[in-house]
Amino acid sequence: MSHLFYQGRGRKPVLEQARGVYIWDKDGRRYLDGSSGAMVCNIGHSNPNVLAAMQRQMEKATFGYRLHFETEASETLASRLAALMPEGLSRVFFVSGGSEAVESAMKLARQHALATGQGGRWKVISRAPSYHGCTLGALAVTSYTPLTAPFAPMMQAMPKVPAPRAYLDGLDPDDPETGRHYADLLDAAILAEGPETVAAFIVEPVGGASTGALVPPAGYMERIREICDRHGVLLILDEVMTGAGRTGRFLAAEHWGTRPDIVVMSKGLGAGYAPLGAMIAHERLVEPVLDAGGFAHGFTYAGNPLACAAGLGVLDEIARQNLCANAETMGEALIARLHGLMQKHELIGDVRGKGLLTAFELMADRATKAPLPAHLNAHQRLVDLAYERGLIVYSRRTRDGTEGDHILVCPPLILEPAHLDEIVEGLDAALAALADELAPALRTG
C-alpha cells in the first residue's frame, strides 16, 4: 500500500532515472516523455549544466528568506526575465508554481485598483472552458466542471466568456471576423458586469489542458488588447504552459505582438528542476501598490535561491541550444505528422497547436464534431495504451471537462527527428488498438 493518495487507487511503475527525453523505471523499461511530464520538462531531464548550476548554489546556500536577505540568484533571474519581457514589464515576483502565480496576479490587479482609487474593480473575467490552477482563487477563474463543481460553495464566482473554439462552432479560424466575434464577447461581458467593477481579464494565449492547444483565431489577441484598454481592464496572460519557449517564442503572446499588463509563468521556467514560477508585472502597476504600503501577499519559498539558480540554468540552456527555434521547427513537423495520423485514423477529428504545444481531438464523427460517448473514457484509455507502448502523453476533456477527448502531445524542446518518429509510431499503434476496442460500442451506440 502506498501512503500517498494523490495517485488514487492505481499504482504506477517506480521511476529510476531520467535523461533527455527518456525516463526509465525500476524494472529497466524505457519511456519517451511525449508530454514533458505535465508540459514542464521543456529542456529535457537531467541536463548536466542545470544540475551544475544548482550544485554551485547548494554549496553557497539553499534558502534565504526574502524578508531577511536579497540573493544573487533571485536578483539575477529577475533581471534576466525582465529583459525577456515586453517593454515595461520589469517587476518580478517569484512563486513556487502556476497556481501561486495566478493568485499573485489576481491579488496584484485588485491591490492596484485599490491603490489607484478604483476600489469597485474586483472581478477577473476568464474563459469557458479554461484552467488556471487548483487553489480557490485560481479555481474561481477556471471553468472545468469536474475540478470546480465540488468547491463552488467555497469560491467567489467570476464572470466567464466563451473560449474561441471556432472549429467546434463551425467558424473559420483564419477569418479576422471570427476573431472579432469571440473578442467582442469579452466586450459585451465587461459592459454587462459594469466596466467599473472589472479589474482584469486572464487568458492563455494558446489553450492548455482545458481546450487542448487551442490557437486563437485571427485578430483575437489584438482585439482583446484593444477592448481591455478601452475599459481600463488589465490583461493578464497566463503563460504557465506556453511560456519559456514552448510555442516557438519565449512568450506565446509574441506570435501576435500582444502587450500584457501582467504575465504569469511556471512549468517550463523551472523545467522540472525545482518548483519555480513568476509573476511579471508592468512597473506602472507595481509602483502605486508599493507607495500604498506594499504588496500584501507572499509565500515562504518566494525567490528561493536554489530554485532561482535552476531557473537561470534553464534560461541558459534555452538560449544555448536555441530551443525556441527548435520548438518552432519541430512543432511544424509534429503537426504535419499528426495530420498524417488523422488521415489514417477516423477517430481523430481535429489537430491543432503551435510549436511543441500540440493536440488532437477524438470524435465519434469528424463531420459533425460529435464527441465520443463520455462513459468510454477514450482519452484516458488512449493514454494507457500509449503508456503500455513506452510513450507518455497527456489527456483531458475538451468540453468543460465533461465530454470530448483530446490528447496533448508536448515533448521536450530538445526533440529530434528520431524522437518524433518514436512518438508517431507509438501513437499510431495506440490509436489502432483504441479503435479496435471501441468498435463494438460505436457500432451499437
Side-chain angles (χ1 to χ4, degrees):
M1 181 190 77
S2 173
H3 293 284
L4 298 170
F5 72 89
Y6 54 70
Q7 297 171 326
R9 297 192 182 278
R11 301 299 299 274
K12 293 292 185 184
V14 176
L15 188 154
E16 175 66 16
Q17 63 173 315
R19 296 284 186 276
V21 302
Y22 296 109
I23 301 173
W24 288 263
D25 67 22
K26 278 279 191 179
D27 295 325
R29 186 171 186 195
R30 191 184 77 174
Y31 305 81
L32 194 154
D33 189 1
S35 63
S36 303
M39 289 62 73
V40 175
C41 303
N42 283 15
I43 67 166
H45 299 272
S46 303
N47 180 288
N49 294 327
V50 178
L51 297 181
M54 295 176 72
Q55 179 64 36
R56 289 192 296 271
Q57 181 60 51
M58 282 190 281
E59 291 170 354
K60 295 180 179 180
T62 57
F63 184 80
Y65 189 49
R66 61 191 174 85
L67 298 183
H68 297 161
F69 295 98
E70 295 181 4
T71 68
E72 183 178 355
S74 62
E75 292 289 332
T76 304
L77 181 58
S79 177
R80 290 275 299 277
L81 275 177
L84 291 166
M85 294 295 115
E87 185 178 358
L89 272 79
S90 61
R91 309 307 293 272
V92 180
F93 188 92
F94 288 119
V95 296
S96 299
S99 297
E100 290 183 3
V102 168
E103 290 272 338
S104 301
M106 294 172 67
K107 285 188 174 183
L108 180 62
R110 173 59 179 163
Q111 286 192 243
H112 173 261
L114 290 170
T116 55
Q118 303 177 79
R121 293 186 186 265
W122 58 271
K123 298 172 185 174
V124 179
I125 298 177
S126 58
R127 305 194 307 193
S130 63
Y131 180 76
H132 295 288
C134 63
T135 57
L136 289 177
L139 278 178
V141 292
T142 288
S143 179
Y144 200 81
T145 297
L147 299 178
T148 56
F151 309 105
M154 305 170 69
M155 294 188 294
Q156 171 67 61
M158 292 290 179
K160 308 291 189 299
V161 296
R165 296 180 297 175
Y167 74 101
L168 284 182
D169 295 335
L171 300 175
D172 179 3
D174 296 322
D175 185 349
E177 285 303 310
T178 300
R180 175 178 286 272
H181 161 72
Y182 286 108
D184 284 350
L185 296 175
L186 171 64
D187 192 36
I190 293 172
L191 291 171
E193 295 292 331
E196 71 283 356
T197 72
V198 179
F201 175 53
I202 185 168
V203 62
E204 291 179 295
V206 178
S210 64
T211 54
L214 180 69
V215 178
Y220 177 82
M221 293 298 293
E222 297 90 339
R223 178 72 172 163
I224 62 171
R225 177 70 269 181
E226 294 171 6
I227 291 167
C228 287
D229 283 342
R230 187 183 332 127
H231 295 297
V233 171
L234 302 181
L235 179 58
I236 302 171
L237 294 185
D238 182 344
E239 296 256 8
V240 168
M241 189 178 295
T242 56
R246 169 64 52 191
T247 70
R249 302 288 188 276
F250 188 76
L251 295 180
E254 295 174 33
H255 293 288
W256 301 279
T258 304
R259 172 180 49 83
D261 298 297
I262 302 173
V263 169
V264 294
M265 299 184 67
S266 186
K267 290 190 181 287
L269 180 60
Y273 291 85
L276 178 64
M279 172 186 67
I280 308 102
H282 198 286
E283 56 195 24
R284 67 178 171 78
L285 307 183
V286 175
E287 291 303 320
V289 171
L290 296 180
D291 290 342
F295 190 27
H297 181 62
F299 299 99
T300 299
Y301 282 91
N304 175 265
L306 182 56
C308 289
L312 283 166
V314 169
L315 291 186
D316 286 342
E317 288 303 293
I318 291 173
R320 185 183 71 82
Q321 299 187 57
N322 201 13
L323 293 184
C324 292
N326 194 59
E328 183 172 39
T329 301
M330 293 304 298
E332 291 172 356
L334 174 55
I335 285 283
R337 299 291 292 275
L338 292 179
H339 277 291
L341 288 176
M342 183 175 177
Q343 293 176 2
K344 183 176 181 180
H345 297 279
E346 293 184 4
L347 281 175
I348 299 179
D350 190 60
V351 170
R352 52 188 181 266
K354 208 161 190 65
L356 287 174
L357 176 55
T358 73
F360 60 88
E361 187 164 339
L362 304 175
M363 297 179 186
D365 188 308
R366 189 182 294 172
T368 66
K369 307 294 185 183
L372 291 165
H375 72 272
L376 295 177
N377 288 317
H379 67 299
Q380 184 57 56
R381 185 58 186 144
L382 184 58
V383 167
D384 293 342
L385 289 166
Y387 194 83
E388 291 170 7
R389 289 158 175 77
L391 172 64
I392 300 171
V393 290
Y394 195 94
S395 78
R396 282 292 183 269
R397 286 200 147 142
T398 301
R399 309 181 195 197
D400 202 32
T402 58
E403 64 177 358
D405 304 273
H406 66 253
I407 305 297
L408 282 157
V409 187
C410 308
L413 311 189
I414 59 172
L415 189 73
E416 298 176 2
H419 304 143
L420 179 54
D421 290 341
E422 286 187 57
I423 290 172
V424 174
E425 290 167 8
L427 287 172
D428 188 15
L431 283 161
L434 179 66
D436 288 343
E437 288 187 8
L438 296 183
L442 294 179
R443 280 197 298 266
T444 61

